[in-house]
Amino acid sequence: MSIKKVAQLAGVSTATVSRYLNNPEQVKEHTRRKVQAAIDETGYAPNTLARNFRRGRTSLIVVVLPTVGDPFLDNVMRGIWRVADELGYSILIRDTQSNSHEFDEYTDMVFSKQADGILLLASISPFEEPTDRKSSNKVHPPIVLGLESVTAELNQFPSVRVDNVAAAADGTDYLIQLGHHRIGFIAGKRNSLLTHDREKGFRKAMRKAKLSVDSGWVVEGEQTLEGARRAARRLLTHKQRPTAIFCANDEMALGAIHEIKNAGLKIPQDISVIGFDDIRYAEIMDPPLTTIAQPAEEIGERTMRRLCQAIDGTDTDAEPEIVPHKLIVRKSTGTAPR
Amino acid sequence: MSIKKVAQLAGVSTATVSRYLNNPEQVKEHTRRKVQAAIDETGYAPNTLARNFRRGRTSLIVVVLPTVGDPFLDNVMRGIWRVADELGYSILIRDTQSNSHEFDEYTDMVFSKQADGILLLASISPFEEPTDRKSSNKVHPPIVLGLESVTAELNQFPSVRVDNVAAAADGTDYLIQLGHHRIGFIAGKRNSLLTHDREKGFRKAMRKAKLSVDSGWVVEGEQTLEGARRAARRLLTHKQRPTAIFCANDEMALGAIHEIKNAGLKIPQDISVIGFDDIRYAEIMDPPLTTIAQPAEEIGERTMRRLCQAIDGTDTDAEPEIVPHKLIVRKSTGTAPR
DNA sequence: TTGTACGCGTTATCAA
DNA sequence: TTGATAACGCGTACAA
């Protein structure tokens, strides 16, 4: 009833008020003034609910991520937000930690018009079955994947990420160049493709250098500080202690560093540590953490842009977009002991 | 047109389909089956847009926070999410960093039905003027404040937080007990009431102990790692170097620790450092950071619950809710040197 | 227990 | 340049 009231007060039709709001240039100066006066007087604000309903879009994007409070995602989100603001979208955040991991749960948000598109920054279970009724007779919703590698079922969607395999191989190569032969790896969660790819890169580089990877040298760190600390303790008590540890992300590297120092060992003299992501705490660690940097903000920006294109139907290209990674050498790595 | 199709296919009216969806018990078993079959066949999902429009509510809550990627907010968000899930709300996140700081911008989201309520976890400018047309002839929207202290204009809203003044005073007392007389303070941003209160508590405790606070001992750290590092450097080069530094939050404490060690000083032998928040990195610092813990998850839960009450109109009480803080003594603080 | 029919506030189409 | 009016999809009061 609200636009009506304004119209009534201004002595014009609702159509004119609507036009004034959406296409002011179509309204004569004189009329504009009247309408604006009525709006001021009533304190009218258009009902977004009705507007979205009419337009059939929410201007909402769901960003699915593993957990907020991950300092790495901070920068990614910054990039996303910049584009979102620019293009008039709001961001709805869901974390897979407290929510379900079902892909359908998120796609349904689009089908039921809760959101216009989905930005997937986490590994989640893909469609239940490709032949599934729901997924087969519906158009694929606008989805873009960021950071994560994709499973076969998902590679139909655009994605933006670094080459995690190559990046991890680079990091491993660097450790090998420093003379390390026994290298441990603290892996992420088993269902995370991203950390799985990093492990793959690690193993690949080791194989290429003809170095063996003792099964006890690869430990799950659960992608948390705590998990990494447990993992590090296990590595340190291994009968053949590694002289270097590659952590699948910086968060886990921080935990590992703590435990190594706690055990009375020196970094990098006794053990070298390398991480992945280059979060802001990497630099202020003691010692500053050697790591592999991703262009986080850029990834955020690009995924968001592609998502908007997907929503508009202008993204025809489903090729994954690979952005460059970069090895950042600090003080947590050094030549192998002895 | 969608519910119509289902109704048609099931051979019932749209009203029956709607009832089946919202009040299944009002529909006869036999009819239910038919409707469900039709839904399955079409893959129908109710249009949330239309539903929200009809119901006049979005089931969306806007959480306004300074910046994502703050590890402290991680826990607060966890609490918020738990309640949100339970009560069927989705969370829309806005950060004040990339968005405007205008209070009206957020209240307008409620007035325009973009969201049902607002959870304010950041300091922002309150209403422009209390006599302002907009704010005066409109009902106050459902808003709850968390973490932050409030200005006079905002204390009409419910809030949940620790007593930052008392907590900071406690921390300061502890340092004084350790024999420190020259204590520095790394403050947050000038517009943050929260860190301002902590500074107030610090000064209060100092005054009570009849210790003077050199003007050069209170430095702004901008609530960032970088800002704190600059602040710490300034404190270290002060002609009368403090023997202890109170940081208005842990993030800044981490930066300060780094700079102090960089300058070749020992913590806590040369300088003690104390933080605020007890983020997860506090414990793994070298040395582990003494700090003041807030019950983050609980704060998140309670603010969210009160917000839902405010939305339902069942929160009559606007008394601020104060939750307990706790001093966590670790190794970054020790007796004053000499 | 089910069906009919109206209205929610907005935008878009068409005619004036 | 403006006005009348039909949709958008759903929920519900009321009637059957």
Side-chain angles (χ1 to χ4, degrees):
Chain A
M1 193 78 91
S2 221
I3 203 178
K4 271 193 202 165
K5 247 195 296 200
V6 176
Q8 207 172 345
L9 205 80
V12 300
S13 73
T14 60
T16 302
V17 178
S18 177
R19 266 190 295 262
Y20 169 71
L21 257 24
N22 301 296
N23 308 88
E25 69 281 1
Q26 293 181 16
V27 178
K28 207 159 70 178
E29 171 65 23
H30 176 67
T31 318
R32 273 187 240 174
R33 303 259 292 272
K34 281 195 299 184
V35 175
Q36 182 56 53
I39 290 179
D40 284 345
E41 194 174 330
T42 53
Y44 165 74
N47 182 326
T48 317
L49 239 32
R51 174 177 280 180
N52 288 343
F53 169 52
R54 178 61 232 237
R55 290 185 174 152
R57 59 196 309 255
T58 56
S59 296
L60 241 47
I61 301 289
V62 183
V63 175
V64 181
L65 38 78
T67 161
V68 245
D70 180 340
F72 172 67
L73 289 177
D74 189 13
N75 296 321
V76 182
M77 288 306 300
R78 207 186 310 288
I80 292 175
W81 257 311
R82 169 153 357 113
V83 181
D85 276 355
E86 182 189 315
L87 272 49
Y89 283 100
S90 289
I91 301 297
L92 206 74
I93 294 183
R94 307 286 262 199
D95 69 342
T96 56
Q97 198 169 265
S98 52
N99 293 287
S100 122
H101 293 211
E102 294 297 323
F103 192 64
D104 282 347
E105 182 187 323
Y106 302 110
T107 54
D108 277 350
M109 296 188 73
V110 173
F111 292 134
S112 66
K113 310 281 186 188
Q114 273 179 71
D116 293 342
I118 298 172
L119 217 47
L120 213 52
L121 305 181
S123 291
I124 55 168
S125 325
F127 300 109
E128 297 150 324
E129 320 133 30
T131 55
D132 177 44
R133 171 193 39 70
K134 276 178 153 184
S135 41
S136 55
N137 67 6
K138 278 179 183 165
V139 186
H140 283 129
I143 294 185
V144 173
L145 296 91
L147 307 177
E148 293 272 345
S149 309
V150 294
T151 54
E153 301 89 33
L154 291 179
N155 68 8
Q156 50 192 306
F157 299 109
S159 71
V160 182
R161 62 173 205 276
V162 297
D163 184 337
N164 284 294
V165 178
D170 284 357
T172 311
D173 282 345
Y174 171 69
L175 292 174
I176 294 171
Q177 275 169 36
L178 289 172
H180 294 279
H181 295 94
R182 301 197 308 273
I183 307 180
F185 189 85
I186 300 187
K189 288 194 204 125
R190 216 175 280 130
N191 63 4
S192 161
L193 294 164
L194 176 154
T195 53
H196 188 259
D197 266 9
R198 293 180 187 167
E199 182 179 336
K200 202 149 89 183
F202 161 72
R203 288 184 186 276
K204 187 171 154 190
M206 291 295 274
R207 206 177 318 119
K208 210 181 81 193
K210 308 217 187 306
L211 294 171
S212 66
V213 177
D214 188 295
S215 69
W217 289 350
V218 177
V219 193
E220 269 197 47
E222 299 154 49
Q223 281 166 249
T224 63
L225 226 42
E226 271 309 313
R229 291 173 65 177
R230 279 192 293 275
R233 284 196 293 269
R234 283 177 52 193
L235 284 176
L236 293 179
T237 54
H238 192 274
K239 56 190 183 304
Q240 278 268 58
R241 199 178 67 204
T243 62
I245 299 180
F246 194 141
C247 302
N249 69 21
D250 283 356
E251 179 88 10
M252 297 196 288
L254 302 194
I257 286 180
H258 180 74
E259 289 300 322
I260 293 167
K261 285 159 71 175
N262 246 15
L265 296 169
K266 293 235 174 312
I267 303 173
Q269 292 83 347
D270 298 318
I271 295 194
S272 286
V273 176
I274 181 169
F276 204 119
D277 286 345
D278 196 27
I279 62 176
R280 63 182 185 275
Y281 303 110
E283 191 187 347
I284 61 152
M285 281 296 100
D286 181 14
L289 180 65
T290 294
T291 188
I292 294 162
Q294 303 190 51
E297 200 163 335
E298 187 189 339
I299 292 177
E301 265 203 58
R302 294 171 95 118
T303 47
M304 188 62 193
R305 284 204 194 284
R306 294 199 67 171
L307 180 57
C308 295
Q309 286 169 8
I311 291 171
D312 299 341
T314 55
D315 193 336
T316 53
D317 186 21
E319 280 299 291
E321 201 169 328
I322 303 296
V323 293
H325 59 268
K326 188 175 165 195
L327 178 68
I328 310 277
V329 177
R330 298 205 180 92
K331 312 274 182 163
S332 68
T333 45
T335 53
R338 197 180 2 150
Chain B
M1 194 78 90
S2 222
I3 203 177
K4 271 192 202 164
K5 246 195 296 199
V6 176
Q8 207 173 343
L9 205 80
V12 300
S13 74
T14 60
T16 302
V17 178
S18 176
R19 270 189 292 261
Y20 169 73
L21 257 25
N22 301 296
N23 307 86
E25 69 281 1
Q26 291 181 18
V27 178
K28 205 159 70 178
E29 170 64 23
H30 176 68
T31 317
R32 272 189 239 173
R33 304 258 292 272
K34 282 196 299 185
V35 175
Q36 182 57 54
I39 289 179
D40 284 345
E41 193 173 328
T42 54
Y44 166 74
N47 183 326
T48 318
L49 241 31
R51 176 176 277 181
N52 287 344
F53 170 53
R54 178 64 231 260
R55 291 184 176 153
R57 60 196 306 253
T58 55
S59 297
L60 241 46
I61 300 289
V62 183
V63 175
V64 181
L65 38 77
T67 160
V68 244
D70 179 341
F72 172 68
L73 290 176
D74 190 13
N75 296 321
V76 181
M77 288 306 301
R78 206 186 311 288
I80 292 174
W81 257 311
R82 170 153 357 112
V83 180
D85 276 355
E86 181 190 314
L87 273 48
Y89 284 100
S90 289
I91 300 298
L92 205 73
I93 295 183
R94 305 286 262 200
D95 69 342
T96 55
Q97 197 169 264
S98 52
N99 293 286
S100 122
H101 292 213
E102 292 299 323
F103 190 64
D104 283 346
E105 183 188 323
Y106 302 111
T107 55
D108 277 350
M109 295 188 74
V110 173
F111 291 134
S112 67
K113 310 280 186 189
Q114 270 178 76
D116 292 342
I118 298 172
L119 217 48
L120 214 51
L121 304 180
S123 291
I124 55 169
S125 325
F127 300 109
E128 299 149 324
E129 321 135 30
T131 56
D132 179 43
R133 170 194 40 71
K134 276 179 153 186
S135 41
S136 56
N137 67 3
K138 276 177 183 166
V139 186
H140 283 129
I143 295 185
V144 174
L145 295 91
L147 307 177
E148 294 272 346
S149 308
V150 293
T151 54
E153 300 89 31
L154 290 179
N155 67 6
Q156 52 191 305
F157 298 109
S159 70
V160 181
R161 60 173 208 278
V162 297
D163 183 339
N164 283 296
V165 178
D170 285 358
T172 311
D173 282 346
Y174 172 68
L175 292 175
I176 293 171
Q177 275 169 36
L178 289 172
H180 294 278
H181 295 95
R182 302 199 306 274
I183 307 181
F185 189 85
I186 300 187
K189 288 194 205 123
R190 216 174 281 130
N191 63 3
S192 161
L193 294 165
L194 177 153
T195 53
H196 188 259
D197 267 9
R198 293 181 186 165
E199 182 179 336
K200 203 148 88 182
F202 161 72
R203 288 185 186 274
K204 187 171 155 191
M206 292 295 275
R207 207 178 317 119
K208 208 180 83 195
K210 309 219 186 304
L211 294 171
S212 66
V213 177
D214 188 295
S215 69
W217 289 350
V218 177
V219 193
E220 268 198 47
E222 298 156 49
Q223 281 166 248
T224 63
L225 226 41
E226 270 310 313
R229 291 173 64 177
R230 279 192 293 274
R233 284 195 294 268
R234 282 178 51 194
L235 284 176
L236 294 179
T237 54
H238 193 274
K239 55 191 183 308
Q240 278 267 58
R241 200 178 66 204
T243 62
I245 299 179
F246 195 141
C247 302
N249 70 20
D250 283 356
E251 180 87 10
M252 296 196 289
L254 301 195
I257 287 179
H258 179 74
E259 288 300 321
I260 293 167
K261 285 160 71 175
N262 245 15
L265 296 168
K266 293 235 174 308
I267 303 173
Q269 292 82 348
D270 298 317
I271 294 194
S272 285
V273 177
I274 182 170
F276 204 119
D277 286 346
D278 196 27
I279 62 175
R280 63 181 184 277
Y281 303 110
E283 190 187 347
I284 61 153
M285 280 297 99
D286 182 12
L289 180 66
T290 294
T291 187
I292 294 162
Q294 303 191 53
E297 200 163 335
E298 187 189 340
I299 292 177
E301 265 203 58
R302 294 170 95 117
T303 47
M304 189 62 194
R305 284 205 194 285
R306 294 200 66 171
L307 180 57
C308 295
Q309 286 170 8
I311 291 171
D312 300 342
T314 57
D315 194 336
T316 52
D317 185 21
E319 281 299 290
E321 201 169 329
I322 303 297
V323 293
H325 59 268
K326 188 176 165 195
L327 178 68
I328 310 277
V329 177
R330 297 205 180 94
K331 312 274 183 165
S332 68
T333 44
T335 53
R338 197 177 1 145

